[in-house]
């Protein structure tokens, strides 16, 4: 029943990559060096800033949830008349997974970099 319903309306399955993307973004963001320092992982709590929990985290997870859904729906809308319904779900899923991977890599690059001014303030003993 679920597969037939998805093939009739391919947009109904867009929530699956949204949830997976949000979980991936949460894992990438929370495991980064930058987030670790903000959450108290610096030397003796140096650099601790818990405001990232209500400033960065909601935007990271929200963007991760909205982006694959937007790509999924755009793919379905653009290719609805060109591609068969069975293939449309596969193509939309591939596009959503692709944008999720791009978002995760971009998030990793952004969140895993330390601000140069912060690195300079730590002194020359820190070699990154």
């Amino acid at each position: 029943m679920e597969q037939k319903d998805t093939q009739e309306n391919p947009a109904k399955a867009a929530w699956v990559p949204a949830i997976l993307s949000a979980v991936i973004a949460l894992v990438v963001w929370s495991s980064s060096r930058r987030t670790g320092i903000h959450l108290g992982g610096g030397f003796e709590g140096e650099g601790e800033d818990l405001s990232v929990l209500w400033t960065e985290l909601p935007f990271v997870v929200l963007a991760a949830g909205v982006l694959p859904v937007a790509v999924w729906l755009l793919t379905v809308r653009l290719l609805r008349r060109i591609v068969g319904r069975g293939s449309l779900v596969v193509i939309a899923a591939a596009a959503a997974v692709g944008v999720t991977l791009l978002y995760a890599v971009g998030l990793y690059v952004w969140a895993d970099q330390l601000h140069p001014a912060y690195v300079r303030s730590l002194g020359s003993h820190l070699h990154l």
Side-chain angles (χ1 to χ4, degrees):
M1 177 78 178
E2 179 71 29
Q3 176 132 2
K4 184 179 176 187
D5 193 33
T6 302
Q7 287 180 351
E8 289 174 7
N9 187 2
K12 285 189 176 180
W15 62 272
V16 175
I19 292 174
L20 292 175
S21 181
V23 169
I24 290 170
L26 180 63
V27 169
V28 169
W29 179 82
S30 65
S31 64
S32 69
R33 289 185 291 173
R34 182 180 179 281
T35 304
I37 289 172
H38 281 301
L39 297 180
F43 179 69
E44 293 182 351
E46 184 178 358
E48 184 175 353
D49 179 17
L50 297 180
S51 70
V52 295
L53 294 175
W54 56 85
T55 55
E56 287 180 10
L57 182 60
F59 291 114
V60 165
V61 174
L62 182 66
V66 169
L67 194 59
V69 171
V71 168
W72 182 291
L73 295 176
L74 184 64
T75 303
V76 167
R77 184 172 182 122
L78 292 176
L79 300 178
R80 177 171 276 153
R81 290 181 175 80
I82 300 170
V83 181
R85 293 197 187 268
S87 301
L88 189 57
V89 172
V90 174
I91 293 170
V97 167
V99 79
T100 298
L101 291 176
L102 286 174
Y103 181 76
V105 168
L107 180 63
Y108 175 77
V109 168
W110 172 76
D112 210 45
Q113 301 299 317
L114 294 176
H115 192 274
Y118 179 76
V119 173
R120 280 193 298 274
S121 71
L122 291 176
S124 62
H125 65 279
L126 183 64
H127 301 286
L128 298 176

